[in-house]
Amino acid sequence: KLLLFSCAAWVSSLSMGMIFFCSPIVSVFTDLFGCRKVAVIGAAVGFVGLLSSSFVSTIEPLYFTYGVLFACGCSFAYQPSLVVLGYYFKKRLGLVNGIVTAGSSLFTVSLPFLLRVLIDSVGLYNTLRVLCVLMLVLFLAGFTYKPLAPNAKDKDDGKKGKFRFPPGKKIFNFSVFKVTSYRIWAFGIPAALFGYFVPYVHLMKHVKDRFGDSVPEEVLLLCLGITSGIGRLVFGRVADYIPGAKKVYLQVASFFFIGLMSMMIPLCHVFGALIAVCLFMGLFDGCFICIMAPIAFELVGAQDVSQAIGFLLGLMSVPMTVGPPIAGLLRDHLGTYDVAFYLAGVPPLIGGAILCFIPWVHERQKLKERPKTVDGETTEKMLESESTFVSDTAEKPVK
């Protein structure tokens, strides 16, 4: 039984890891083929993976059908949903991201209870087939990602029906790392995430160790999901009032409070105190998630945002995969999660401190680029006036 549970846990871990590992590849396909095609194909692959998992009778094939195929499909369907919003919304981008990401909080709250009812009534395999309906809805929703042609050249290429394969430098757009503020952001967030997900993974086990079966631990998931949804709506709207790269300060605040709440978990000897901690943790988790895309648009611009988000999610996969198992090893050696939760609060504080430098660096970078733009415009105007003067001179003898 222990071996069976261990294998099942590895299938779930592989699935989560693949969703983020695939993100840089998804960003390349999004730039090449657009959000609509990538999202639709991703949902179709996820549907096939989930449906095929429902016909599997042993654990081993699930590594491919669920851990790889379904996860890759989800990755291809998820990332375009972050990118496409920036094409249609500018002024209210934060609020729109908050509304869209709040949907995942709604399912975080309701899906565990729904799954328990479905598994008890129709079994695991039929439950997977029922969940295929959600992937079918996602497949149909992908068709609503109406592509926008950014310039006349793209429109002409679309009319001709020709697809020109771009050079390698444009396929893998590593130039986003030349933007110093993005580089700090892309490495500061993964640094914070080494401890970020530890409470979400090990909190239920910690509650059972400390309080036994006398408390309803599902209430904690309910608190995390509800306040996370509220946080995404509230802070998404707040982000619209914060100019430029200063939106990063919201993520700094979210890392600070999540790190602090993680350190407070071992100090909660009353279940009510643990509920209060989860309420605050969910609120600032929503803050962190809903403003990721708006910050990416501010740092690199709409043209490079797809790969900027892709590289970030790919880098996030490493701490997400490494952090929780280390916390589990500490619990096995020490017999308690207390030290693991104390240590888990440190990386978010360090990551938040790193992100504090981004607005200052971004402003300096814009000041450096401004003289180049002014010089370019001045030169262009001088060339235009010179060409006008030459043409006037040439026309006078004809008259």
Side-chain angles (χ1 to χ4, degrees):
K1 283 186 178 180
L2 286 174
L3 180 61
L4 183 64
F5 284 130
S6 177
C7 291
W10 271 107
V11 171
S12 178
S13 298
L14 177 63
S15 177
M16 284 299 298
M18 284 298 296
I19 289 175
F20 288 90
F21 274 125
C22 290
S23 294
I25 301 172
V26 177
S27 65
V28 172
F29 280 95
T30 302
D31 282 346
L32 291 177
F33 303 108
C35 294
R36 176 191 280 182
K37 292 179 181 177
V38 173
V40 169
I41 292 173
V45 172
F47 176 85
V48 172
L50 194 59
L51 185 63
S52 58
S53 298
S54 68
F55 293 99
V56 170
S57 57
T58 57
I59 287 289
E60 288 76 13
L62 283 175
Y63 285 105
F64 175 73
T65 59
Y66 188 86
V68 176
L69 198 61
F70 172 68
C72 288
C74 289
S75 182
F76 273 74
Y78 167 68
Q79 191 173 319
S81 68
L82 297 178
V83 176
V84 74
L85 295 176
Y87 296 154
Y88 297 101
F89 302 94
K90 303 296 180 185
K91 190 176 180 181
R92 299 286 183 264
L93 183 59
L95 176 61
V96 171
N97 271 276
I99 293 172
V100 171
T101 55
S104 62
S105 295
L106 179 63
F107 278 93
T108 300
V109 173
S110 60
L111 203 56
F113 299 100
L114 177 63
L115 289 177
R116 180 173 295 182
V117 172
L118 286 172
I119 290 173
D120 292 340
S121 58
V122 300
L124 175 61
Y125 297 121
N126 287 323
T127 298
L128 292 176
R129 290 162 196 160
V130 172
L131 293 178
C132 287
V133 176
L134 298 178
M135 295 305 299
L136 184 60
V137 172
L138 193 61
F139 172 79
L140 296 175
F143 286 100
T144 64
Y145 296 174
K146 184 179 178 182
L148 295 177
N151 50 50
K153 184 180 178 182
D154 292 340
K155 290 181 181 178
D156 293 337
D157 290 341
K159 290 178 181 178
K160 294 176 182 177
K162 294 181 179 179
F163 172 73
R164 295 181 180 179
F165 206 80
K169 289 182 179 180
K170 288 189 177 181
I171 295 176
F172 296 99
N173 188 13
F174 293 109
S175 62
V176 294
F177 288 100
K178 293 180 180 179
V179 181
T180 308
S181 54
Y182 171 77
R183 196 161 61 239
I184 297 171
W185 190 58
F187 289 101
I189 287 182
L193 294 183
F194 275 101
Y196 189 95
F197 285 97
V198 170
Y200 296 94
V201 175
H202 296 288
L203 183 59
M204 297 299 103
K205 188 68 171 65
H206 169 72
V207 170
K208 285 189 176 182
D209 290 347
R210 175 159 293 187
F211 300 101
D213 296 327
S214 59
V215 296
E217 65 269 13
E218 292 89 355
V219 173
L220 299 179
L221 289 176
L222 197 65
C223 293
L224 286 169
I226 291 173
T227 53
S228 180
I230 294 172
R232 296 175 196 201
L233 292 172
V234 172
F235 288 106
R237 187 71 184 97
V238 170
D240 291 330
Y241 292 105
I242 300 177
K246 291 183 180 179
K247 292 180 177 66
V248 171
Y249 288 131
L250 288 177
Q251 283 191 331
V252 172
S254 67
F255 282 141
F256 175 79
F257 279 100
I258 287 175
L260 187 63
M261 292 300 107
S262 178
M263 292 179 174
M264 289 184 67
I265 290 174
L267 303 177
C268 296
H269 298 282
V270 180
F271 189 66
L274 203 55
I275 289 176
V277 166
C278 288
L279 289 172
F280 278 100
M281 186 174 289
L283 187 69
F284 287 97
D285 170 76
C287 173
F288 163 67
I289 291 172
C290 75
I291 59 172
M292 282 184 61
I295 290 174
F297 273 94
E298 292 290 347
L299 297 183
V300 301
Q303 187 177 358
D304 299 324
V305 73
S306 176
Q307 297 210 29
I309 293 175
F311 287 132
L312 176 65
L313 295 178
L315 291 169
M316 283 169 56
S317 65
V318 177
M320 284 179 62
T321 307
V322 173
I326 292 176
L329 290 173
L330 287 172
R331 191 266 175 190
D332 292 339
H333 284 287
L334 301 175
T336 177
Y337 280 110
D338 290 359
V339 174
F341 284 128
Y342 286 134
L343 293 177
V346 176
L349 298 178
I350 295 174
I354 294 172
L355 297 186
C356 284
F357 295 98
I358 291 177
W360 176 72
V361 171
H362 192 66
E363 285 300 319
R364 288 195 62 186
Q365 186 177 332
K366 286 172 68 176
L367 289 173
K368 286 181 179 179
E369 291 175 355
R370 196 172 296 167
K372 294 180 182 179
T373 306
V374 172
D375 291 342
E377 290 177 354
T378 305
T379 305
E380 188 177 347
K381 287 179 181 178
M382 289 176 64
L383 290 172
E384 287 179 358
S385 61
E386 186 177 347
S387 63
T388 305
F389 175 76
V390 171
S391 62
D392 291 342
T393 308
E395 287 176 1
K396 282 181 181 178
V398 176
K399 290 180 180 179

